[in-house]
Amino acid sequence: MKKADFYRDARRDLTGPLDGVRVIDATTSWAGPMCACILADLGADVVKVEAREGEVSRRIPPALPGHDKQIGFAQATVNRNKRNLTLDLRKSEGREIFLKLAARSDIIVQNFRPGTFDKWGIGYEHVRTVKPDIIYVSISGYGQFGPIHDRVAYDPLAQAMSGFVSLGGSPDGAPTKAPTWLCDDLGGLHGAIGALAALRHRDRTGEGQHIDVAMLDAMLFQSNGYLTLAAMNLDLKRWGNEIPFSVPTNTYQCRDGLVMAGVLLDTHWKVMARMAGRPDLADDPDYATIPGRMSHRDECNAMVAKWCAERTVDEAVDACAQNGIPCAKVRTYAEAARCPHTHERDMLQQVAQEDGKLAPITGPGSSSAISAVLSFGTWARTVTSASNSVLSVLVRRAMRPASA
């Protein structure tokens, strides 16, 4: 399908599905700002509340190169599409303004340490007195309750606490964290999903909700079942670039670079064996099934490594593509930024910054054939139980006012 075909019937008279929804973004760093960023990209009117000195993302280096002002890359990325307001929330005047804004808003997002906003007089219980159906999203490292809920937490700590870091890196190396703020991103994403679900619930019932998102919970939820396996005493190993049940899968050296290639299905193996000049192994019972290849991991890896070593990256990728075998070049972010596919998918969009200059900002990760233009430019404390939650989000519901 061509891009023009996908967007053939797209409407361009919409600002986004959340048009008319007001969000107060009282967040800092990345997880909370990411949650509000997603809502802003979907068309919500997001008002960013910052301290007098500005929030942390403004000062995270490096700054965008070639701009007249010092504009942090994090600020440009995760605080796009938002209006700004400076308030000292620790003072009574700031608190009063915040509550007045909250009374005219739909969603509040905050990611300060649990208890901080309660101490300042702008916690959920304070806000619901002026806006009973408010949707109040609290994002933190370990949640609003639990034995360690009030500890200081940042992304790498949540990665470590989840078990993720223990499986990162090469088998013979040290445990390694993700190179991106993965817990922050997942926490923000789950916060946005929880907010959208709460909006739907409010529209049906008139009830507001307090949504509790823990980055640790989000990371555990996205553990691909590893938490379950560990709870049942199965030993989990560090595999580096290999996959336990997908053999052969690894990074392989070509004449001019690395590729990531793999055999995910038994049918893939038959094709790969013939491509590698070993048709005798295509149907060999010792290799033709996943358990068989798992028992011959070194031999399978050696076969693919030899085949790749005789080719350039482009030759290996093209040959695999023609034969339906998964294979991709191991690229740098710079190479990804230059890729025509990246640009065709609008994953870099030229956005005006504070100094009026344009910068290529990472775009939203989904497209809609209904609305081609996005506005880019749970736990229940009372009702919902953890067993009924499919998100790493906790929700406590505010009962509908008697007059509703």
Side-chain angles (χ1 to χ4, degrees), residues 28 48-59 75 86:
T28 185
K48 176 78 177 183
V49 175
E50 301 183 59
R52 185 172 301 171
E53 65 274 15
E55 78 116 316
V56 173
S57 69
R58 293 183 179 274
R59 301 185 293 278
Q75 166 71 8
T86 299

Side-chain angles (χ1 to χ4, degrees), residues 10-42:
R11 292 179 58 181
R12 298 182 180 275
D13 59 331
L14 304 175
T15 58
L18 294 186
D19 181 37
V21 173
R22 174 175 286 176
V23 179
I24 304 302
D25 173 9
T27 68
T28 185
S29 299
W30 196 268
M34 174 56 72
C35 174
C37 174
I38 294 169
L39 300 177
D41 285 349
L42 292 173

Side-chain angles (χ1 to χ4, degrees), residues 214-231:
M215 292 193 298
L216 176 58
D217 292 353
M219 200 65 176
L220 291 173
F221 177 80
Q222 308 288 174
S223 65
N224 301 150
Y226 281 1
L227 184 65
T228 295
L229 295 177

Side-chain angles (χ1 to χ4, degrees), residues 58 113-115 191 194 322 351 383:
R58 293 183 179 274
R113 191 171 175 180
Q322 291 171 12
V351 179
V383 181

Side-chain angles (χ1 to χ4, degrees), residues 244-259:
F245 55 84
S246 178
V247 182
T249 295
N250 211 331
T251 52
Y252 301 99
Q253 181 68 53
C254 295
R255 293 208 302 262
D256 57 349
L258 288 167
V259 295

Side-chain angles (χ1 to χ4, degrees), residues 37-114:
C37 174
I38 294 169
L39 300 177
D41 285 349
L42 292 173
D45 174 20
V46 177
V47 179
K48 176 78 177 183
V49 175
E50 301 183 59
R52 185 172 301 171
E53 65 274 15
E55 78 116 316
V56 173
S57 69
R58 293 183 179 274
R59 301 185 293 278
I60 296 176
L64 297 179
H67 284 258
D68 298 332
K69 296 182 64 176
Q70 287 292 307
I71 302 172
F73 82 98
Q75 166 71 8
T77 300
V78 82
N79 284 324
R80 62 179 183 245
N81 249 359
K82 302 173 183 179
R83 296 192 288 160
N84 294 80
L85 175 67
T86 299
L87 287 179
D88 189 340
L89 297 175
R90 294 165 294 187
K91 294 184 177 179
S92 59
E93 296 91 335
R95 179 172 63 252
E96 290 172 6
I97 294 172
F98 184 89
L99 291 175
K100 287 179 180 179
L101 282 173
R104 302 197 303 269
S105 300
D106 301 284
I107 300 170
I108 289 176
V109 183
Q110 67 91 8
N111 68 328
F112 283 71
R113 191 171 175 180

Side-chain angles (χ1 to χ4, degrees), residues 129-202:
T129 61
V130 299
K131 179 70 170 174
D133 64 349
I134 194 69
I135 295 163
Y136 195 103
V137 182
S138 296
I139 304 175
S140 62
Y142 306 128
Q144 299 300 302
F145 59 87
I148 62 170
H149 76 279
D150 56 353
R151 289 185 186 176
V152 175
Y154 293 100
D155 176 278
L157 303 184
Q159 287 191 41
M161 289 283 289
S162 71
F164 179 89
V165 173
S166 72
L167 297 183
S170 63
D172 56 352
T176 306
K177 71 174 184 63
T180 61
W181 300 324
L182 184 57
C183 289
D184 278 333
D185 278 326
L186 290 177
L189 182 61
H190 279 266
I193 295 172
L196 294 175
L199 274 177
R200 169 66 173 161
H201 178 80
R202 187 202 64 179

